Amino acid sequence: MSKSIAIDGPAGAGKSTIAKKVAKSLGFIYVDTGAMYRAMALYMIKNKVDASDSEKISATCKSADITIKHENGEQVVYLNKENVNGLIRTEEVGNMASASSVNADVRAKLVELQQKMAETTDVVMDGRDIGTVVLPGADLKVYLTASSKVRAERRYKELTEKGTQCNLDEIEKDIIDRDYRDMHRENSPLKQAEDAVLVDSSYMTIDEVADEILRLYKERA
Ligand code: DC
């Protein structure tokens, strides 16, 4: 049977960086489920679907063909055969993803895809509902979080390093709003699974968090 580690938590807690590291040291495949929701959101934007029009989102998601491939150790997301990795990391797509991911039809489609991937491959999968919905039987579940202030500072640093003008308070407000939406939606809200281990990365380095997760996994294996 394939093995799995589920890492859930709010945006900016460091899930993807840490999940990638853990996957590499165990020889597992890293699956970034947020990228799938982002690809779906991009499809909604391309089709001029309004974020509040749930009927249109349900109808439109049926014609989105989202596939994941791993090329040179990197996850590549294809939307209707187009590599969209370079198009899904914008604030616009992130905000649409937060809105369109509340839709039950969007979730059903992507959860099925995620479960199929984990059936045949050893995975470290990160997202919001991996431990609670997608992989309830995961070998290790981690709920990775950090304070909104620390997460905003990380995002601010990332954006200013890229030369993007931004405002720290606005970023923190965006993070708090997104957390609220992710945690209070009806379908698969972000919450810690009962059997998940809570890791607060606010004052930990990336290596410290990755080592802690590897230690927890080995302890259970
Ligand atoms: O992790 P991220 O910021 O790339 O995710 C984008 C959005 O997708 C986020 O607002 C929540 C949603 N998402 C989700 O609902 N379930 C997942 N398993 C992963 C992401």
Side-chain angles (χ1 to χ4, degrees):
M1 219 173 86
S2 55
K3 302 182 184 69
S4 57
I5 298 180
I7 303 183
D8 291 300
K15 294 189 299 292
S16 62
T17 312
I18 284 149
K20 251 185 233 166
K21 253 183 151 356
V22 172
K24 195 163 178 216
S25 52
L26 292 171
F28 289 14
I29 291 279
Y30 164 56
V31 182
D32 170 5
T33 63
M36 300 182 191
Y37 287 93
R38 284 173 180 270
M40 186 62 92
L42 179 66
Y43 191 60
M44 298 299 156
I45 293 168
K46 282 187 174 195
N47 283 282
K48 306 204 167 22
V49 177
D50 192 287
S52 60
D53 188 345
S54 60
E55 270 179 35
K56 193 83 189 286
I57 290 175
S58 288
T60 307
C61 81
K62 294 199 170 66
S63 53
D65 173 32
I66 293 170
T67 50
I68 297 285
K69 287 190 186 143
H70 286 85
E71 297 169 5
N72 306 319
E74 280 292 307
Q75 170 178 293
V76 183
V77 188
Y78 288 87
L79 170 63
N80 294 337
K81 311 273 183 290
E82 181 195 357
N83 175 345
V84 292
N85 268 24
L87 304 175
I88 57 176
R89 299 285 158 204
T90 65
E91 294 299 303
E92 186 194 11
V93 171
N95 286 329
M96 175 58 108
S98 177
S100 57
S101 62
V102 304
N103 185 283
D105 294 308
V106 166
R107 302 206 72 81
K109 183 164 178 154
L110 297 183
V111 167
E112 191 188 344
L113 187 63
Q114 291 152 13
Q115 288 174 333
K116 278 208 180 115
M117 292 179 80
E119 258 171 33
T120 49
T121 327
D122 295 337
V123 294
V124 178
M125 196 175 275
D126 79 0
R128 305 294 191 285
D129 60 340
I130 310 306
T132 52
V133 176
V134 181
L135 304 175
D139 298 290
L140 171 66
K141 297 179 186 178
V142 173
Y143 189 83
L144 184 65
T145 189
S147 70
S148 60
K149 188 159 185 290
V150 168
R151 287 184 284 136
E153 282 164 1
R154 288 177 184 162
R155 183 81 185 129
Y156 178 82
K157 190 163 170 262
E158 207 178 277
L159 289 169
T160 42
E161 275 169 6
K162 272 197 246 161
T164 311
Q165 283 266 332
C166 55
N167 174 294
L168 184 60
D169 291 337
E170 269 171 28
I171 292 175
E172 187 175 3
K173 190 187 166 295
D174 246 26
I175 283 179
I176 293 169
D177 288 350
R178 193 177 299 181
D179 283 357
Y180 187 88
R181 280 202 299 272
D182 290 348
M183 288 173 183
H184 291 86
R185 65 188 182 205
E186 198 179 322
N187 292 314
S188 310
L190 167 65
K191 64 166 192 254
Q192 186 179 343
E194 268 175 33
D195 50 352
V197 182
L198 175 73
V199 177
D200 185 332
S201 74
S202 300
Y203 303 105
M204 288 169 89
T205 64
I206 288 163
D207 284 340
E208 283 169 347
V209 179
D211 286 349
E212 173 66 0
I213 294 175
L214 287 167
R215 190 190 64 74
L216 289 165
Y217 179 72
K218 284 172 188 155
E219 197 177 81
R220 280 161 176 71

